[in-house]
Amino acid sequence: MKKTIITVVGQDTVGIIARVCAYLAENNINILDISQTIVSGYFNMMMITDASAAVKTAGEIAEEMEALGKSMNLSIRCMHEDIFNTMHRI
């Protein structure tokens, strides 16, 4: 399994989850776990996904997710689970 961590942060607007999930579905990326919250009008979501069935490379997915975020005035970060864990190790 090729787990990927996706984070989405920005001002809350209608359709954030729908557009992110539509991109994932179109690219055969399965959502394994999801957590989202809104604090004082700011949207924050973290997803753990399985990109094993995706045809695109991890780099292509990350670039496209970042571009999607920019088009929605959000920050969307996408990284392999191993990189995420290494970055957050104490």
Side-chain angles (χ1 to χ4, degrees), residues 16-80:
I16 295 172
I17 296 172
R19 288 187 61 190
V20 171
C21 289
Y23 173 86
L24 297 176
E26 291 166 3
N27 289 281
N28 296 319
I29 300 170
N30 188 38
I31 299 168
L32 302 174
D33 200 357
I34 183 172
S35 173
Q36 69 92 33
T37 189
I38 300 166
V39 178
S40 296
Y42 292 96
F43 180 87
N44 188 359
M45 178 170 64
M46 181 176 177
M47 307 170 95
I48 301 173
T49 64
D50 176 8
S52 297
V55 176
K56 296 177 181 174
T57 68
E60 290 171 323
I61 293 168
E63 285 178 15
E64 290 178 2
M65 294 289 293
E66 186 175 335
L68 175 62
K70 285 182 182 179
S71 75
M72 299 172 65
N73 203 27
L74 300 168
S75 171
I76 301 180
R77 309 280 308 227
C78 179
M79 65 183 76
H80 190 277

